[in-house]
Amino acid sequence: MSTAKSTAAASPTSTTRARPSDRSRIAKLLNPNSVAVIGASDDPSRIGGRPISYMRSQGYAGKIFPVNPNRATVQGLTAYPSVAALPETPDVAIVIVPASAALESVTALAERGCAAAILFTSGFAEIGPEGAAAQAKLVEAAHAHGMRLIGPNSLGLINPCKHFYGTFATGCELAFPKAGGVAIISQSGAYGAHLMAVATANDIGLSAVILTGNEADLTVGDMLQMVVDDPDTKVIMLYSEGIKEAAGLVAGLEAARRARKPVLMMKVGRSAVGSAAAQSHTASIAGDDRVTDAVLKELGVVRVQTTEQMLDIARLATRGVYPANNTLGVITVSGGAGVIISDAADAVGLPMPAMPQASQERLLKLLPFAAPRNPVDVTAQYLNEMSLISTFTDALIAEGKYTSILGFFTYTGGVASIAPRLREQLKIARNKHPDCIFALSLMASRDLIRQYEEDGFAVFEDPSRAVVAIEAMGQFGRAFAKPAGLPAPIVGPVQLPASNPSEAAAKQLLASAGIASAPEEVCTTIDAAVRAAEKIGFPVVMKIVSPDILHKSEIGGVLLDIVDADGVRAGFNLLMQRGKTAAPQARLDGVLVAKQLKGGVECILGIHQDPVFGPVAMFGLGGIFVEILQDVVLHRCPFGTDVAEQMIRSIKGAPLLEGARGRPKADIKALAEMLSRLSAFAVAAGPRLQSIDLNPVLAMPEGQGAYAVDAVIEVTE
Amino acid sequence: MSTAKSTAAASPTSTTRARPSDRSRIAKLLNPNSVAVIGASDDPSRIGGRPISYMRSQGYAGKIFPVNPNRATVQGLTAYPSVAALPETPDVAIVIVPASAALESVTALAERGCAAAILFTSGFAEIGPEGAAAQAKLVEAAHAHGMRLIGPNSLGLINPCKHFYGTFATGCELAFPKAGGVAIISQSGAYGAHLMAVATANDIGLSAVILTGNEADLTVGDMLQMVVDDPDTKVIMLYSEGIKEAAGLVAGLEAARRARKPVLMMKVGRSAVGSAAAQSHTASIAGDDRVTDAVLKELGVVRVQTTEQMLDIARLATRGVYPANNTLGVITVSGGAGVIISDAADAVGLPMPAMPQASQERLLKLLPFAAPRNPVDVTAQYLNEMSLISTFTDALIAEGKYTSILGFFTYTGGVASIAPRLREQLKIARNKHPDCIFALSLMASRDLIRQYEEDGFAVFEDPSRAVVAIEAMGQFGRAFAKPAGLPAPIVGPVQLPASNPSEAAAKQLLASAGIASAPEEVCTTIDAAVRAAEKIGFPVVMKIVSPDILHKSEIGGVLLDIVDADGVRAGFNLLMQRGKTAAPQARLDGVLVAKQLKGGVECILGIHQDPVFGPVAMFGLGGIFVEILQDVVLHRCPFGTDVAEQMIRSIKGAPLLEGARGRPKADIKALAEMLSRLSAFAVAAGPRLQSIDLNPVLAMPEGQGAYAVDAVIEVTE
């Protein structure tokens, strides 16, 4: 545990630095053949002593080279006075010297040809601008020779499978992690160490524990790529307080999905108060949490709320079964527990279809007291007739075709006289159906639970927690099976104006990307306005046109329901007068005459430039739906029409577009086309684009299109 | 565990039977001085042998009288051939004989003067109508002499404080429950026994375990009253699959609230699939789950979703501190954990205000690395300076005025060299502030956790679970502190018509209870209609009046926007003609002429006769709010205007009534008055009332009232 309150601080050079993308060098961090410890201590309880003590007690097979100018030996090993004096170049170095000496050590290691270094040393970006400058120098010195860095201010890196302990985490003194298939990557050293301790206490084996510290060089995204490449890692747990480098993270998450390695992420700072705490802790920019949610969902990451959820899901995920169409069959010895499980499955949206009628009748013949529907209740009768367990479980999978099975056996599963027979019966069903997810809810000694786990079952005390974990397997399955979406539309180069465009200019810009507005014309004279209105057809809407008036309705600059030429004439004069009164300095470019659309559903389409993930598109229904109910959906730009349509249909108010309550169906196809084009436009427009608001967009009845009625584009000047 | 799939089945006689309400007799069930075991077995592993074996091994201090006509002794005790042969009248009897012999035993016990009997015997209402009839006879025989019954088909009753084991639950063979302050009442025997086992495995002490079986006589509500009266019980856990007798349950819950005993309830069958499982399991009528939710909330019950939540909250609740204005202060050694806790608190609505500025500055002087805002992060520095713990915790309570404290110490709280010093520091703060809720999140051996618990802390491994439990203490606090609401309005006797009234008749009936409709008049001639319209003022609405046409708009029986006398004339003829065409047999009573109200907010007020809880009032906004978003609130009838106003303000769309987005504020006072009067009307109307729909009700701008525009009343004919 670090004594500094900040473990990950902004690195001003992180986006501009050289990044030699040498994956084989980085891979050495997890599996070094030799490791130098710079600042090694003879005292195994000191920070400089712990890595050596841990590795030797656990049986690290590589070479350890302590570097300490004041001693001939360290913990019984030959010590060397300097990096230069080492008998060979170490794969990896651990640097524990004071901040003032860190640059010298890093330079010497880089020059010597070391692949990567883990920097425990603190006192850099986390303490302020001076520290950040010193930190940048470390990176520069390392990169000059292609060396990569973890930290500084890192609690280290562990590979329990190889017994490599590049860490000073005190948690190891209580219990060393068990080797297994779960990798932990954490921006917080203290919380990552906690996670390791909880995983160990809960008998979950680990393939890596990586505490990224200040991320001056290697980021969470890089570490993600590293464990995706690592054959021991099956499942990845990520803890993040603020995403600093979106591109690397996204690339890492995409690599994990391709490799079918489930990623569980705890991204904290969800709440307003949480964000305040996250800011003071990491000084990192917390992106809008809704954006993070949308992006993680897109990339197939399961976002968890609690540590317990993280471990539960990881425990089941290591079994490696991820059904895209997940269904749950339940075998229980208590009807009450069956109902609790059904409620829990319903709450997380995990389907529990009924058994086929014929199967139900067959099971009732075997056991008239049974409830055969699903949950299948064998009652306490199984205690007299243990084969009911294999018969009924087999029927669930073979006939009910469930991809996941949850068995509830309460404390009876832990009774010495029952457990061996129960295990035997469960194994019969298990062996027949190796591609099924099998979870058990029972209470037993830790040793007995381990035996059930070795039999191929994931054991949970609380059945509701098992349900949450099972549902997550389906999320992974759907993410892994998801086909590449349709390509985003091609939008030509977009030339943003130097300052915020007028509504008409904004619409023109959007029209070039195929985004339709209502038929309209900008007119500078009364006669032109009348001609335009007659061409468009009454009723029309009239609006003031000025680059200096952004919110027209606030100054009365919009007139509705104009039904004849006289109305146009009067309206023209009124608008010009209001424009002059409200903003005497404003440039008035004329009056927009537009078709007034009736019978459409009001929607909002928007773009928001997210500081972390770039342009993000938003869709929602107009008015209270967005402003009071916050019923919106977000997605990273760009995307094709298939994703756009999924977005539109995902909001709670979607039935309003789909013809609920006798309404005409809206033109969702046209709406999806517009949303998808808007997403491509946002990318083509580049980072100067701040936001777009198409509010309202009218979704007309099916086949009649969708039109932006108003458009506001904001750019960086 | 029972071998029957049903533990609680419908009792046809339950509502009409005689119910001697003898609380002192019932109390003997928990604390009998003597117990007879009818059908006692010498074999301690058999159902008839277990109660005796359990009681003797645990040291039950009362007398045990085995009844067995075939043996002189049972498990070393003198056995008696019959109830009549017993040397004295036992307080309580346990009946284990076959179903065919049960009536004889119950009759003999009742005649002997036994206070109450626990019936393990199954084969009654849970197997069908014949069993139900036999069950009714048992109750009759018992009540003839004032004896009360638990079961039949019950797994029994346990009082761990008195070592009374009137049960055959096998779970006891693994671990006997520890004496403590938590009572379990469960309709499911198997699940209740599971709950007991989990509580015991988690070191939660119990004051009672009551498995109600078929509830032929004593119901969940009776058992609730019994544990409220029991001085050992501090907290009550309830598991229910279907509420059969609402009055007793409500009375029991109200008694618990008055006695400041928190009630935690798991009422399953929430989901559609869950309900199907609950039906097949208990054959009881599951009331609408939203109604149950509303009623439990009203009565101060915390409804839990999982067993784990139940135990977590119970663990903390036994500490007996229930602040009505609960706030959380956090002391942590990991900033990351602090953020997780903040997010969790935000998710459940538990406030975490910041420390006062001056306190923050003072704490920063003590520890410059600290985060002093709340969460307060003492960093790993506390390992060097343990007094930081008491200083900072004391500051949180004394200066931050938090009613609840959560300390996060991860595995360091379990380290042998740290724990004693940490405990000492925590105790200093604890002793200074005995009225504060103290929870800890740490990992330690079971023994060490017990020591922390004895020091006065509730220990949770996962901090998010601690937050959920802490939040629940505030729910109890608010429920216990809630003043009696305003009285419901007094509504004179309501004379419901023999069949569904017409709209006009419905409105007249409601008007007698002070529920205002828009100004209107029923007219039988064209001239009368014109006069009425001129009196009311244009524009008006016209509607057909017929007791045979319930849904007028479906036949075109409603005309809007009628602006002059000619319109009234034409409308009258049109409506009469449409009425005749659509329903040639329909009685046409004329045409309703009503004021057309503009500028109001459309609401729906309704009454639904719930089969369990009686009339329930509903409030929501009109249209999509109810039908698509299901944004409604429910409450048992009757209630005063204060409750009505809270209901109105509690829906998500409430800002629409409160003046959001520049709208005029609606007359919420008038709306609340109407809702409250409607609730009183529903009660006065009696059980023949099936439903009322006031849809829409127009809530006019502040000071202008609220008017029912349409009214439909359905009655049982």
Side-chain angles (χ1 to χ4, degrees):
Chain A
M1 194 177 302
S2 160
T3 53
K5 74 180 163 188
S6 178
T7 57
S11 158
T13 59
S14 63
T15 51
T16 54
R17 66 182 186 246
R19 298 208 36 188
S21 68
D22 184 350
R23 274 155 77 171
S24 72
R25 271 170 193 270
I26 295 173
K28 286 209 162 55
L29 276 167
L30 264 191
N31 196 8
N33 290 316
S34 53
V35 55
V37 181
I38 321 301
S41 167
D42 193 51
D43 178 349
S45 76
R46 295 188 60 117
I47 290 182
R50 286 183 214 154
I52 297 171
S53 155
Y54 293 168
M55 284 189 271
R56 298 191 74 201
S57 78
Q58 296 305 299
Y60 169 62
K63 295 178 199 160
I64 302 174
F65 302 121
V67 174
N68 182 330
N70 304 318
R71 299 186 62 94
T73 64
V74 162
Q75 297 186 45
L77 297 171
T78 305
Y80 301 88
S82 67
V83 171
L86 292 176
E88 60 182 81
T89 298
D91 280 353
V92 165
I94 301 167
V95 178
I96 318 172
V97 299
S100 56
L103 183 59
E104 192 191 326
S105 293
V106 166
T107 306
L109 287 163
E111 284 172 352
R112 182 78 198 239
C114 184
I118 301 165
L119 310 186
F120 291 0
T121 312
S122 59
F124 292 96
E126 80 278 12
I127 62 161
E130 272 175 58
Q135 179 171 304
K137 290 218 174 80
L138 292 181
V139 177
E140 205 181 308
H143 284 195
H145 299 273
M147 186 171 82
R148 305 305 300 261
L149 301 178
I150 286 193
N153 190 26
S154 163
L155 198 45
L157 183 151
I158 301 172
N159 181 344
C161 299
K162 312 291 182 198
H163 314 296
F164 173 60
Y165 285 82
T167 186
F168 62 99
T170 50
C172 294
E173 284 167 33
L174 282 166
F176 282 95
K178 184 177 120 171
V182 181
I184 295 172
I185 302 173
S186 173
Q187 286 186 324
S188 160
Y191 198 75
H194 171 68
L195 201 49
M196 174 179 86
V198 184
T200 304
N202 286 281
D203 228 13
I204 293 176
L206 301 176
S207 58
V209 181
I210 303 155
L211 308 164
T212 57
N214 286 5
E215 298 183 56
D217 177 21
L218 293 169
T219 62
V220 163
D222 297 313
M223 294 298 92
L224 199 48
Q225 183 68 62
M226 178 177 76
V227 297
V228 167
D229 292 343
D230 169 41
D232 289 329
T233 299
K234 309 295 179 208
V235 175
I236 301 159
M237 303 203 290
L238 221 58
Y239 173 88
S240 164
E241 296 179 344
I243 296 157
K244 276 177 268 173
E245 203 239 353
L249 178 73
V250 168
L253 293 175
E254 279 171 347
R257 178 148 63 111
R258 279 192 304 273
R260 294 179 62 85
K261 295 194 178 184
V263 179
L264 290 156
M265 185 161 178
M266 195 172 212
K267 159 71 183 67
V268 294
R270 203 174 255 275
S271 59
V273 55
S275 284
Q279 296 261 356
S280 77
H281 186 56
T282 68
S284 63
I285 302 154
D288 178 358
D289 195 69
R290 294 182 78 128
V291 173
T292 306
D293 241 9
V295 173
L296 295 182
K297 198 174 159 198
E298 176 198 340
L299 294 167
V301 175
V302 169
R303 187 171 179 184
V304 297
Q305 309 302 322
T306 69
T307 309
E308 199 167 75
Q309 249 179 39
M310 181 100 109
L311 293 168
D312 284 346
I313 299 174
R315 176 191 299 284
L316 193 56
T318 54
R319 302 276 163 193
V321 184
Y322 316 112
N325 295 301
N326 200 8
T327 56
L328 177 63
V330 174
I331 181 160
T332 177
V333 297
S334 151
V339 187
I340 291 172
I341 291 167
S342 301
D343 278 1
D346 185 69
V348 297
L350 174 61
M352 280 183 61
M355 282 285 277
Q357 200 56 43
S359 306
Q360 292 192 38
E361 284 159 18
R362 194 171 68 76
L363 294 181
L364 276 182
K365 273 181 203 143
L366 294 174
L367 181 63
F369 273 129
R373 193 177 177 277
N374 186 30
V376 168
D377 183 358
V378 293
T379 75
Q381 184 57 27
Y382 85 103
L383 294 174
N384 303 322
E385 211 180 327
M386 198 55 81
S387 66
L388 287 172
I389 299 297
S390 61
T391 312
F392 275 57
T393 306
D394 181 43
L396 275 167
I397 308 171
E399 299 167 37
K401 310 286 183 205
Y402 304 107
T403 57
S404 300
I405 295 292
L406 173 57
F408 179 84
F409 297 101
T410 178
Y411 53 85
T412 51
V415 174
S417 61
I418 299 170
R421 293 180 294 140
L422 179 61
R423 282 178 57 204
E424 189 187 317
Q425 290 298 317
L426 286 168
K427 270 197 283 189
I428 292 172
R430 174 104 205 73
N431 292 340
K432 266 185 162 170
H433 306 282
D435 294 337
C436 190
I437 292 170
F438 269 95
L440 301 178
S441 173
L442 52 78
M443 298 166 62
S445 69
R446 192 165 165 165
D447 277 347
L448 188 50
I449 287 174
R450 206 172 282 155
Q451 288 171 35
Y452 279 108
E453 295 262 357
E454 278 162 15
D455 290 345
F457 304 99
V459 179
F460 300 85
E461 183 177 295
D462 192 294
S464 306
R465 282 169 60 181
V467 168
V468 169
I470 290 169
E471 193 278 330
M473 299 306 107
Q475 289 188 50
F476 293 128
R478 288 190 294 280
F480 296 159
K482 194 168 85 174
L486 294 175
I490 292 164
V491 165
V494 173
Q495 199 66 45
L496 286 183
S499 58
N500 294 339
S502 68
E503 175 182 342
K507 284 178 172 174
Q508 216 169 357
L509 209 53
L510 291 162
S512 72
I515 294 166
S517 305
E520 61 179 28
E521 207 169 295
V522 177
C523 308
T524 51
T525 68
I526 291 187
D527 286 348
V530 171
R531 274 196 307 277
E534 281 166 349
K535 197 177 80 191
I536 288 167
F538 290 102
V540 295
V541 186
M542 297 176 74
K543 302 182 192 179
I544 191 84
V545 179
S546 164
D548 301 318
I549 301 172
L550 262 188
H551 296 288
K552 288 177 285 287
S553 55
E554 286 173 10
I555 65 145
V558 180
L559 303 175
L560 301 173
D561 289 315
I562 293 166
V563 294
D564 56 21
D566 283 349
V568 175
R569 288 187 193 100
F572 191 94
N573 288 328
L574 182 63
L575 287 175
M576 296 307 276
Q577 179 218 316
R578 283 186 178 164
K580 275 174 201 144
T581 312
Q585 312 303 328
R587 288 160 288 172
L588 300 183
D589 293 346
V591 165
L592 182 92
V593 179
K595 187 165 182 62
Q596 183 162 330
L597 295 163
K598 292 218 166 180
V601 181
E602 279 197 16
C603 304
I604 297 181
L605 278 67
I607 296 291
H608 159 73
Q609 190 73 249
D610 184 79
V612 175
F613 292 106
V616 171
M618 183 192 87
F619 174 79
L621 293 179
I624 50 150
F625 279 93
V626 168
E627 303 201 11
I628 295 178
L629 304 171
Q630 305 208 333
D631 181 22
V632 298
V633 56
L634 303 169
H635 203 285
R636 272 198 313 157
C637 300
F639 47 83
T641 52
D642 51 347
V643 168
E645 189 170 334
Q646 285 158 19
M647 288 170 67
I648 292 165
R649 293 193 193 274
S650 74
I651 63 168
K652 287 201 199 91
L656 277 183
L657 295 165
E658 290 166 338
R661 305 186 81 214
R663 283 183 174 73
K665 283 189 188 181
D667 199 335
I668 290 181
K669 227 181 148 86
L671 210 48
E673 180 75 31
M674 184 187 279
L675 186 56
S676 159
R677 286 186 174 276
L678 186 66
S679 76
F681 177 89
V683 173
R688 275 190 57 237
L689 177 70
Q690 281 310 293
S691 71
I692 304 179
D693 263 329
L694 306 186
N695 181 13
V697 166
L698 282 178
M700 305 305 291
E702 225 168 14
Q704 298 177 37
Y707 299 96
V709 177
D710 195 359
V712 177
I713 296 182
E714 289 185 302
V715 301
T716 311
E717 296 201 1
Chain B
M1 194 177 304
S2 161
T3 54
K5 73 181 164 188
S6 176
T7 56
S11 159
T13 59
S14 62
T15 49
T16 53
R17 68 182 184 247
R19 297 206 40 185
S21 69
D22 186 351
R23 274 156 77 173
S24 73
R25 273 171 191 269
I26 297 173
K28 286 209 161 52
L29 276 166
L30 264 191
N31 197 8
N33 290 314
S34 54
V35 56
V37 181
I38 321 301
S41 168
D42 193 52
D43 179 347
S45 76
R46 295 189 60 114
I47 290 182
R50 286 183 215 154
I52 297 171
S53 153
Y54 294 168
M55 284 189 272
R56 297 193 73 201
S57 79
Q58 295 305 298
Y60 169 62
K63 294 177 200 163
I64 303 174
F65 303 120
V67 174
N68 183 330
N70 306 318
R71 298 188 61 94
T73 63
V74 162
Q75 298 186 45
L77 297 171
T78 306
Y80 301 89
S82 67
V83 171
L86 291 176
E88 61 182 81
T89 299
D91 280 353
V92 165
I94 301 169
V95 178
I96 318 172
V97 300
S100 56
L103 183 58
E104 192 191 326
S105 293
V106 166
T107 306
L109 287 163
E111 285 173 352
R112 181 80 200 236
C114 184
I118 301 165
L119 310 186
F120 292 0
T121 312
S122 59
F124 292 95
E126 79 278 12
I127 63 161
E130 272 175 59
Q135 180 171 303
K137 289 218 175 76
L138 293 181
V139 176
E140 206 179 306
H143 284 194
H145 299 275
M147 188 172 80
R148 306 304 301 261
L149 301 178
I150 286 193
N153 190 27
S154 164
L155 198 45
L157 184 150
I158 301 171
N159 180 343
C161 300
K162 312 292 182 195
H163 314 296
F164 172 60
Y165 284 83
T167 186
F168 62 98
T170 50
C172 293
E173 285 167 33
L174 282 165
F176 282 94
K178 184 177 120 174
V182 180
I184 295 173
I185 302 171
S186 173
Q187 285 186 325
S188 161
Y191 199 76
H194 171 69
L195 202 50
M196 175 179 85
V198 184
T200 304
N202 286 280
D203 227 14
I204 293 176
L206 301 176
S207 57
V209 181
I210 303 156
L211 308 164
T212 57
N214 287 5
E215 298 184 56
D217 176 22
L218 293 169
T219 62
V220 163
D222 297 313
M223 294 297 94
L224 198 48
Q225 182 69 61
M226 179 178 75
V227 297
V228 167
D229 292 342
D230 169 41
D232 289 330
T233 299
K234 308 295 179 209
V235 175
I236 301 159
M237 304 203 292
L238 222 56
Y239 172 88
S240 165
E241 296 178 343
I243 295 157
K244 277 176 270 172
E245 202 239 354
L249 178 73
V250 168
L253 294 175
E254 279 171 348
R257 179 149 60 111
R258 277 193 305 273
R260 295 179 62 86
K261 296 194 177 183
V263 179
L264 290 156
M265 185 162 178
M266 194 170 212
K267 159 70 183 65
V268 295
R270 202 175 255 276
S271 58
V273 55
S275 283
Q279 297 262 355
S280 78
H281 185 56
T282 65
S284 62
I285 303 153
D288 178 358
D289 195 68
R290 293 182 77 128
V291 173
T292 307
D293 241 8
V295 173
L296 295 182
K297 197 174 159 199
E298 176 198 340
L299 294 167
V301 176
V302 168
R303 187 171 179 182
V304 298
Q305 310 302 324
T306 69
T307 311
E308 199 166 76
Q309 249 178 38
M310 181 101 109
L311 294 167
D312 283 346
I313 298 174
R315 178 191 297 286
L316 193 56
T318 54
R319 302 279 164 192
V321 185
Y322 316 114
N325 295 300
N326 200 6
T327 56
L328 177 63
V330 174
I331 181 159
T332 178
V333 298
S334 151
V339 187
I340 291 171
I341 291 167
S342 301
D343 278 2
D346 185 68
V348 295
L350 175 60
M352 281 184 59
M355 283 283 277
Q357 201 55 45
S359 305
Q360 292 194 36
E361 283 159 19
R362 194 171 69 75
L363 294 180
L364 276 181
K365 272 181 203 144
L366 293 173
L367 181 63
F369 273 130
R373 194 179 177 276
N374 185 29
V376 168
D377 183 358
V378 293
T379 77
Q381 184 57 28
Y382 85 103
L383 294 173
N384 304 322
E385 210 179 329
M386 198 54 81
S387 65
L388 288 171
I389 299 298
S390 61
T391 312
F392 275 57
T393 307
D394 180 44
L396 276 166
I397 308 171
E399 298 166 37
K401 309 287 182 202
Y402 304 107
T403 57
S404 300
I405 294 293
L406 173 57
F408 180 84
F409 297 102
T410 178
Y411 53 83
T412 50
V415 174
S417 61
I418 298 171
R421 291 181 295 140
L422 179 60
R423 283 179 56 205
E424 189 187 317
Q425 289 298 317
L426 286 168
K427 273 198 281 189
I428 292 172
R430 174 102 205 72
N431 293 340
K432 267 187 164 168
H433 305 283
D435 294 337
C436 189
I437 292 171
F438 269 94
L440 302 178
S441 173
L442 52 80
M443 300 166 60
S445 69
R446 193 164 163 166
D447 278 346
L448 189 49
I449 286 174
R450 206 171 284 155
Q451 287 172 34
Y452 279 109
E453 294 261 358
E454 278 162 14
D455 290 345
F457 305 99
V459 179
F460 300 84
E461 184 177 295
D462 193 294
S464 306
R465 284 170 59 183
V467 168
V468 169
I470 291 169
E471 194 279 329
M473 298 308 107
Q475 288 188 52
F476 293 128
R478 288 190 294 279
F480 295 159
K482 195 168 84 173
L486 294 176
I490 291 165
V491 166
V494 174
Q495 198 69 44
L496 287 183
S499 57
N500 294 337
S502 68
E503 176 183 342
K507 284 179 174 174
Q508 218 168 356
L509 208 53
L510 291 162
S512 71
I515 295 166
S517 304
E520 63 181 26
E521 208 169 296
V522 177
C523 308
T524 51
T525 68
I526 292 187
D527 286 348
V530 171
R531 272 196 308 276
E534 282 168 348
K535 197 177 81 191
I536 287 166
F538 292 102
V540 295
V541 187
M542 296 176 74
K543 302 182 192 180
I544 190 85
V545 179
S546 164
D548 302 318
I549 302 172
L550 261 188
H551 296 288
K552 288 176 286 289
S553 54
E554 285 173 10
I555 64 146
V558 179
L559 303 174
L560 301 173
D561 288 315
I562 292 166
V563 296
D564 55 22
D566 282 350
V568 174
R569 288 186 194 100
F572 191 96
N573 288 329
L574 182 63
L575 287 175
M576 295 307 275
Q577 178 218 315
R578 282 185 180 165
K580 276 174 203 147
T581 312
Q585 312 304 325
R587 288 159 290 171
L588 300 183
D589 293 347
V591 165
L592 182 92
V593 179
K595 185 165 184 63
Q596 183 162 329
L597 295 163
K598 294 217 166 180
V601 180
E602 279 196 17
C603 305
I604 297 181
L605 277 66
I607 296 291
H608 158 73
Q609 189 73 249
D610 184 80
V612 176
F613 292 105
V616 171
M618 184 192 88
F619 174 79
L621 294 179
I624 50 152
F625 279 93
V626 168
E627 303 200 11
I628 295 178
L629 304 172
Q630 305 206 331
D631 181 21
V632 297
V633 57
L634 303 169
H635 202 284
R636 272 198 313 155
C637 299
F639 45 83
T641 51
D642 52 346
V643 168
E645 188 170 335
Q646 284 158 20
M647 288 170 67
I648 293 165
R649 294 193 191 274
S650 75
I651 62 169
K652 288 201 197 90
L656 278 183
L657 295 166
E658 290 166 338
R661 305 185 79 212
R663 283 182 175 73
K665 284 188 188 180
D667 198 334
I668 290 180
K669 225 177 150 82
L671 210 48
E673 181 75 30
M674 184 186 279
L675 186 56
S676 159
R677 285 185 174 276
L678 186 67
S679 76
F681 177 89
V683 173
R688 276 190 57 236
L689 178 70
Q690 283 308 294
S691 69
I692 304 179
D693 263 329
L694 306 185
N695 180 14
V697 165
L698 282 177
M700 305 305 291
E702 224 167 17
Q704 297 178 38
Y707 299 96
V709 177
D710 195 0
V712 177
I713 296 182
E714 288 185 302
V715 300
T716 312
E717 298 200 1

